[in-house]
Amino acid sequence: MSRPPPPSRREVLVAGIGAALAPSVSALAQAPAPGPRMLTRPIPSSGEALPVIGMGTWQTFDVGGAANERAPLAQVLQKFFASGARLIDSSPMYGRSEAVVGDLLKQSGQEKTPFLATKVWTRGKAEGAAQIAASLQKMGHGRMDLMQVHNLLDVDVHLPVLREMKAAKKLRYVGVTHYQRGAFDDLEKHIKGSKLDFVQLPYSLAMRDAEARLLPAAKEHGVAVLVMEPFDKGNLFRKMKGKPLPDWASEFDCTSWAQFFLKFILGHPAVNCPIPATSDPAHLEDNVKAGFGRLPDDKLRARMVKLFES
């Protein structure tokens, strides 16, 4: 028997959100609860284990300093760390997001907990160096795990600088990003020839172009993959609105559409970590659950695609 159509994501998750609106910043220091651990995948260039669910900050962390704006984000970070997740991705392009992340981490004493990732997004060597230095101070208070060239902007200028910084141990990993299909040829070139640690690209049930060449290339050349836009800008939720989660989703420990979409991505062996962005503590709790339990195999992933396209 089919399940009845589920309510909206917000309706499902709204219970308990009231308490999340005014958390103490010190709650961020809460240790992960005992129990099952989030799945991890190794970063190919180092073997370091990286939890499989990360968090983006585009729009969601671009807020002011008012308590009512930052309190939900403090709760989002607390729940994120409590799940065992670590990777937080940002960019100078994202307004105040880098600084807000840095402020909340400093206030909580959790500056060394996350795997911090941001980007350089400007033209010129001097301009790039200045922007990188500013990002390190705003977001990481002097430290950064991963620095990426955002949308390949002036990539041939910035990549040598990032490699020098890595050699000097001022950052640990180097990568590139792009969000457009039209840039996939250039992304592939860098995956194959630029000795990257990471590539960040769009991939979802709705946008599977990366399966053809980029994901196989990343797997072959030992490049870790971060996935932006895992919900296709919310289009996946709109597409499946009012439709019941299939009974067979239980075969890969899935209880919501958000987990369904994220587990589809994680079912691909080349992917290290999707980075959904949210400012909603309840949505964060739902997202991180995709990092636990079983993942769909190729047969189930094909079935997921067929359901989405039906």
Side-chain angles (χ1 to χ4, degrees), residues 93-110:
M93 181 186 180
Y94 302 166
R96 294 162 289 190
S97 295
E98 288 179 316
V100 171
V101 169
D103 288 349
L104 291 175
L105 292 175
K106 185 176 182 179
Q107 291 167 26
S108 70
Q110 291 287 85

Side-chain angles (χ1 to χ4, degrees), residues 7 40 60-61 94 156 165 264 271:
T40 63
T60 54
F61 275 71
Y94 302 166
D156 293 331
M165 292 182 68
F264 171 80
V271 171

Side-chain angles (χ1 to χ4, degrees), residues 144-248:
M144 189 62 58
D145 295 292
L146 167 63
M147 185 66 70
Q148 305 153 96
V149 181
H150 198 155
N151 292 342
L152 298 176
L153 182 63
D154 219 2
V155 63
D156 293 331
V157 169
H158 297 314
L159 265 184
V161 174
L162 298 187
R163 292 194 191 100
E164 290 174 5
M165 292 182 68
K166 179 182 175 181
K169 301 188 184 305
K170 294 180 180 179
L171 53 89
R172 300 200 298 136
Y173 298 105
V174 171
V176 300
T177 84
H178 215 294
Y179 70 100
Q180 290 181 328
R181 290 180 176 92
F184 278 14
D185 285 349
D186 288 335
L187 276 183
E188 184 181 12
K189 178 187 73 173
H190 286 289
I191 289 170
K192 291 180 175 180
S194 295
K195 297 182 179 179
L196 302 174
D197 299 301
F198 280 82
V199 64
Q200 185 177 149
L201 49 79
Y203 179 49
S204 69
L205 261 173
M207 206 285 215
R208 302 190 299 278
D209 302 51
E211 291 178 345
R213 287 157 48 195
L214 296 188
L215 295 181
K219 188 71 173 174
E220 178 182 354
H221 292 272
V223 178
V225 177
L226 302 183
V227 172
M228 67 175 82
E229 300 181 0
F231 301 139
D232 193 43
K233 299 184 177 70
N235 290 326
L236 293 181
F237 291 110
R238 288 185 281 274
K239 166 82 172 180
M240 306 311 285
K241 184 178 181 180
K243 296 182 179 181
L245 194 69
D247 291 333
W248 46 266

